Amino acid sequence: MKVKEFMTTKLEYVDGDRSVYDAIEKMVDRRIRSVLVRLPGKEAGLGVITARDMVFKVFAKGMDPRTVKASEIASKPLVCIDQETTFDEAVKLMESSGVARLFVCDHHGIVGVVALLDVMAASLIMRARGDHVSP
Amino acid sequence: MFLRRFLSKGSKEDEVIKDMAHHIDLLCSACKEMHEAIEKDDRSLARRVLDLERDGDAVRREIISHVYEGAFLPYLRPDLCRFVEIVDSIFDLLQETATHYLDVILPEQLRRDCVQIAFLNAGACEMLHISFEAMLRGEDLREKSLAIRIYEKKIDDMKFSLIRDMRGLPVGNFWEGKTLSDFISGLTSISDIIEDAGDHLEIIHLSIK
């Protein structure tokens, strides 16, 4: 199975100078588990914020999500893969790079994301199909 | 095969089982054509869906008449017919969606999601076929049912943001907007009925255990 078959195409962005609270609102409203952050200034590019970042980098430290900027807690750089990457390759890359989500990119930019839950869903579909699952 | 060995004594049953598999096969082809039609923006492929729906209708009539002629034990007949009717209602919704696609002006910003949803519909349908074959062999359907539900859930996740994005788009007139809305609504509801069909297969499976 290739990642284009099980990636999530729902992507949301927030500007890096917006607050973490803005990112939280987006995640709640859109029922998503991560938000892409447009990084400002010299580091221009993209980062990502997940619920994990919000909990450990903001709430657990007693910080106010309204005053912390999204760019301050965004993880970067993103790990990108091609749409044609296989399931096995994606899982190995996740494991070796220690990330829970891979971004699927083409020449237009990011077209999808593969998170652990997507990998689990793909594994279950492959099992049901009788395909070999061996990441 | 389990179902055949357990319940069938003659050629009528064999005919019904063969036709039911063919019915689901046609449905899978229709889902794939729908996906390709949207991906390649080829309306002629959407017309193929309409042809396949007519073929599916003919197969459904064959199955029902064979069942009423006395195929299978009486207690099983209503459930088999119900399953065939559910598959038929998937065909109907696909046909309706394909008809809307012939007229719709699909905004480019929605196309990628529509292609993905049509692809997931085809995956769910393939899983229904796998599930049916597994039922005939008497295998456990639990993992297959979960896989169908995963496809349905993925589509459900995309449905609301797609509808929200659609609401923000300008439309030329009432009918343009209605056609787009009906198309999206149909495309995102197909997997719900595939899930119902998968659930019904489990009921049949349980009833013959």
Side-chain angles (χ1 to χ4, degrees), chain B residues 1 21 128-139 141 201:
Chain B
M1 283 190 220
L128 181 69
H129 193 272
I130 291 171
S131 207
F132 180 76
E133 294 292 337
M135 186 197 69
L136 293 182
R137 291 192 297 270
E139 292 173 10
L141 303 187
L201 269 187

Side-chain angles (χ1 to χ4, degrees), chain A residues 6 9-10 30-31 127, chain B residues 143 154 157-158 160 164:
Chain A
F6 62 93
T9 53
K10 199 159 71 171
R30 308 280 170 109
R31 301 200 290 178
R127 267 182 67 90
Chain B
E143 291 197 11
K154 271 183 173 274
D157 281 347
M158 297 176 74
F160 298 107
R164 193 205 49 230

Side-chain angles (χ1 to χ4, degrees), chain A residues 1 4-10 12 29-31 33 83 106 108 111 118 121 124-125 127-129, chain B residues 112-113 116 119-120 123 126-127 130 143-144 146-147 150-151 153-154 156-158 160-161 164-165:
Chain A
M1 196 187 259
K4 66 178 178 188
E5 295 176 53
F6 62 93
M7 67 184 184
T8 297
T9 53
K10 199 159 71 171
E12 290 296 335
D29 291 343
R30 308 280 170 109
R31 301 200 290 178
R33 295 181 294 272
Q83 294 192 63
D106 68 6
H108 296 302
V111 295
D118 300 309
L124 291 165
I125 287 171
R127 267 182 67 90
R129 275 188 194 166
Chain B
R112 192 191 290 270
D113 278 354
Q116 186 71 10
F119 175 78
L120 293 169
E126 185 200 354
M127 196 50 67
I130 291 171
E143 291 197 11
K144 276 86 180 163
L146 178 62
I150 288 170
Y151 279 118
K153 185 84 188 72
K154 271 183 173 274
D156 234 26
D157 281 347
M158 297 176 74
F160 298 107
S161 60
R164 193 205 49 230
D165 291 348

Side-chain angles (χ1 to χ4, degrees), chain A residues 3-53:
Chain A
V3 294
K4 66 178 178 188
E5 295 176 53
F6 62 93
M7 67 184 184
T8 297
T9 53
K10 199 159 71 171
L11 300 167
E12 290 296 335
Y13 294 82
V14 67
D15 287 327
D17 54 5
R18 301 303 294 264
S19 73
V20 168
Y21 200 85
D22 290 328
I24 291 172
E25 276 185 332
K26 210 154 226 185
M27 283 170 75
V28 172
D29 291 343
R30 308 280 170 109
R31 301 200 290 178
I32 49 176
R33 295 181 294 272
S34 64
V35 180
L36 285 158
V37 181
R38 293 189 195 93
L39 301 170
K42 283 179 194 168
E43 39 177 17
L46 290 170
V48 63
I49 297 181
T50 64
R52 184 188 168 86
D53 295 317

